[in-house]
Amino acid sequence: MKEYTSSTKTELSKESSKVNPKGSIDRRKFIEGVSSAAIGLTIVPSTVLGGRHVAPSDKINVAYIGLGTQGLRQLPDIIQLPDVHITAVCDPQRKAINYYDWGPTWLRDQMRELTGNPNWTTGGNNTIPGGLDNGKEIVDAYYAKTGKNYKCNPYTDFRELLEKEKDLDAIQVMTPDHLHGIICGAALKRNIAVSVHKPLSNRLIEANKVFEMANKSSVTTHLQPWDLNGEDMPKIMDWINNGAIGELQEVHNWSFRPVWPQYANLPADTPKVPDGFDWDLWLGPEADRPYHPHYTNMTFRGWYDFGGGSMADMGHYSLWTVFEHLKLGRPTIVEPNFNHVCGITDKGTAFKIQNDFSFPYASSMRFKYPAVEGRPAIDLVWYDGGMRPPVPDEFYEQGIEFPSEGIMFKGSKGIIMTRGFHATAPYLLSEGVKDSKEVTAAAGAVKMPGIQRFIEGIKKGKQIEGGFRQAWPITEAVNLYAVALRSQKTLHYDADAMKIKNDQKANEYLNRSYRKGWGLDEV
């Protein structure tokens, strides 16, 4: 272990002057820039790190942005890492009012365990946890339980947080989808490492700008769904490359999502904004409209303005590894199929509801990917809302129910099925149907948790597997899925220009019209 000597201090001072010629040290640059000079260093005086106290283990200062149910659910994964200090939390909703979850006490009980307080309650309307007040209380209580004299600063506006928290190394973004891109972009502009839930953005052009920013930046990035990608794609690729199913022609992936309410009509009533909820900040870049709870917690995924639909929610987990291994690249045709909703007028006549504001209850999407060296052209088909591909005869012959979620690789001579949604536990259908109940765990070695890899990447100043730089093909696909459903037309896509060739209106859905103060160049 290298000791902290006067000569080491001289090395560090030289490195710091490279980072900031005025002599004040940007802590993020310091951590990245001196890792080779100070490897094994265990004690760094706070004066060296720009005057802020830093624990001997070189804590990574993280701001946690987004404290809804999913944000709180994943908070234990990062706060319990010994190298992490949550210095700030942020959410425009202060109180735990109108949050929804999959069980009435699951999240509350998880927070009680994290804080060590078996009697902890949410406040608000005392149902489901969520919001800024809960987030700060939980973080402070956890640090008090573990004997650390840490406090975190609360913010409702992430822009204020990024302006005031000068010693941030990283942020974790757990907001609704429409805020992902601008928060990630704001962090990258400030050389702050960023981990974000899926998608990278719910607009194609915005996502591409963030992707390009990440390519030009040296900071560590992390798109979280990579962590659940199946370990068995190499085995699937061996079968494909060895001709076990002939020439691969189609990949089918289906999910029973959505598992949240979706609405065929815009809200007509205007309920009062909950106490402590800054509705304007929650809307962020999107157009102003009256508050309604149907837009917000959990249900945001069903709206084109705020979410990315079922494919953005689940397709990242199942398909990202498929894109990587098959080198799918960029599609030329995107063909939607979807349900519709009808109503009755006050005159007693039926009509089809014209809807370009919310995702359909069920849909399928065919993407056509051109041939590349080593493989032919492939059709990738996504299904949601209970829609599934045609059931192979083997399932009927053996009396086994076709699974509600899965992946199927269809070749000219056979089929590979998976018994797990994340491209896990594959088998050749020619050898007989394997019941999905046989699956107990993904095959392969246990990976280091993604958020831990993210923190390790920051400390070592390197990129990690599952960073933004890998994410463009899957990001492009999930955004084109939304555009095709919203336009209700088959899209002919020019990938190089990132434009729809056959429908000008559809091009308007590739980007958003930013409210003043919320553009990527303004945050």
Side-chain angles (χ1 to χ4, degrees), residues 46-232:
S46 60
T47 53
V48 176
L49 292 179
R52 185 185 180 106
H53 173 73
V54 177
S57 57
D58 276 2
K59 296 287 184 183
I60 301 298
N61 292 334
V62 179
Y64 203 90
I65 303 175
L67 296 158
T69 53
Q70 193 62 30
L72 290 182
R73 182 172 286 108
Q74 292 186 216
L75 177 61
D77 296 338
I78 187 169
I79 198 173
Q80 294 180 100
L81 293 177
D83 294 336
V84 167
H85 174 199
I86 304 292
T87 60
V89 290
C90 181
D91 198 287
Q93 183 168 350
R94 284 190 170 273
K95 299 184 179 180
I97 299 174
N98 293 343
Y99 282 95
Y100 314 110
D101 201 20
W102 315 119
T105 64
W106 295 353
L107 187 54
R108 183 206 66 185
D109 292 347
Q110 186 183 4
M111 296 301 101
R112 286 179 172 182
E113 181 179 357
L114 180 66
T115 60
N117 180 359
N119 300 312
W120 180 78
T121 58
T122 68
N125 53 10
N126 278 317
T127 53
I128 306 297
L132 182 61
D133 291 349
N134 276 187
K136 175 173 170 52
E137 183 182 6
I138 290 163
V139 170
D140 287 346
Y142 172 77
Y143 285 137
K145 181 188 79 168
T146 54
K148 296 180 176 68
N149 188 27
Y150 296 161
K151 297 291 181 183
C152 71
N153 299 320
Y155 297 88
T156 55
D157 190 335
F158 76 88
R159 298 169 299 180
E160 181 186 8
L161 182 156
L162 293 175
E163 178 65 26
K164 291 184 175 179
E165 296 290 319
K166 299 298 186 183
D167 287 334
L168 275 183
D169 302 306
I171 61 172
Q172 179 154 336
V173 182
M174 301 296 297
T175 66
D177 299 353
H178 70 294
L179 295 167
H180 287 187
I182 59 170
I183 299 177
C184 290
L188 289 168
K189 286 198 294 185
R190 292 164 174 81
N191 292 313
I192 297 173
V194 56
S195 173
V196 64
H197 217 277
K198 35 61 180 175
L200 189 58
S201 168
N202 70 334
R203 290 293 184 276
L204 184 77
I205 302 300
E206 181 179 273
N208 185 256
K209 290 178 179 179
V210 175
F211 170 73
E212 292 295 342
M213 291 171 72
N215 281 337
K216 295 174 183 177
S217 173
S218 62
V219 300
T220 308
T221 59
H222 175 219
L223 187 57
Q224 295 169 30
W226 177 260
D227 309 332
L228 290 182
N229 269 272
E231 295 283 326
D232 287 339

Side-chain angles (χ1 to χ4, degrees), residues 303-422:
W303 302 97
Y304 292 123
D305 282 350
F306 306 125
S310 296
M311 188 178 183
D313 181 52
M314 292 303 295
H316 282 84
Y317 296 120
S318 52
L319 289 174
W320 194 351
T321 186
V322 175
F323 274 87
E324 290 267 309
H325 282 85
L326 289 176
K327 304 186 187 311
L328 286 184
R330 313 181 75 177
T332 55
I333 301 292
V334 186
E335 174 194 303
N337 290 285
F338 45 87
N339 76 330
H340 64 269
V341 177
C342 295
I344 299 291
T345 68
D346 55 4
K347 299 184 182 298
T349 57
F351 69 99
K352 177 183 174 182
I353 295 174
Q354 298 301 316
N355 177 359
D356 70 346
F357 46 80
S358 66
F359 286 87
Y361 297 146
S363 69
S364 69
M365 191 70 55
R366 179 181 297 272
F367 299 86
K368 289 190 167 291
Y369 288 92
V372 297
E373 185 177 354
R375 68 151 178 80
I378 292 176
D379 284 2
L380 171 70
V381 191
W382 166 266
Y383 309 79
D384 56 43
M387 299 179 72
R388 302 181 299 184
V391 178
D393 290 341
E394 288 87 344
F395 283 85
Y396 297 124
E397 292 166 0
Q398 296 189 35
I400 295 178
E401 184 65 26
F402 197 59
S404 59
E405 291 190 303
I407 301 182
M408 179 168 66
F409 299 82
K410 186 175 184 297
S412 58
K413 298 179 180 178
I415 290 174
I416 299 170
M417 294 288 301
T418 68
R419 283 169 283 169
F421 180 70
H422 307 107

Side-chain angles (χ1 to χ4, degrees), residues 16-28:
S16 69
S17 65
K18 292 177 186 177
V19 174
N20 189 333
K22 295 182 179 180
S24 62
I25 303 174
D26 182 321
R27 184 174 183 274
R28 294 185 296 276

